[in-house]
Amino acid sequence: MDKQSLLDLLRHDARESVDDIARQLGADAEAVAAALEELEADGVIRGYQAVVDWNNVDEEHVRAQVEVDVELDRETGYEEISRRIARFPEVATLRLVSGDYDFFIEVEGESMHAVSNFVSERIAPIPEVTKTVTHFVMDSYKEEGIELGDGDDDDRLSVSP
């Protein structure tokens, strides 16, 4: 059985039953279950999550993308800094990236104020952090390959000359 195909199916819909996945892969359900166990044990699959359209939820939920620049020294590397940042529950995503800044962090909170305070009181004071730039997410149109919204193609008003 091709593990990449199995992973692709799970990324598309992780709620499918083992029997349905096996049927799509043309494999035995026991082989699929064993492959899933192996992928989980090896740390390839780290969890299963729902993609949430926060615009359809009553409570306020704020996300921000934070660019973080750091200055390394002989004793401190990216791994150590990432471990310190990743421990905060507000941090949904943490990536080391190439380009104009070192880390990309996606932060979640109850309000813009809460997210802003988190960045200024928890991230910025880390000794190696030299700069942060916070971009608040105003709307999301696609998450994890899934289009969000009401499905209308174009809700702009037509204009005639």
Side-chain angles (χ1 to χ4, degrees), residues 23-40:
R23 196 169 25 261
Q24 291 177 58
L25 294 175
D28 180 59
E30 289 179 12
V32 170
L36 285 171
E37 270 186 41
E38 181 182 334
L39 289 166
E40 291 169 358

Side-chain angles (χ1 to χ4, degrees), residues 3 6 8 10 16 21 27 32 46 48 73 76 80-81 88 91 96 108 115 122 130 136 157-158:
K3 287 186 180 177
L6 174 58
D8 290 342
L10 288 173
E16 289 196 61
I21 293 171
V32 170
R46 297 292 182 122
Y48 302 88
D73 57 38
T76 309
E80 183 178 333
I81 297 168
F88 296 113
V91 174
L96 178 65
E108 297 184 355
V115 169
R122 299 295 198 163
T130 59
F136 285 97
L157 297 175
S158 60

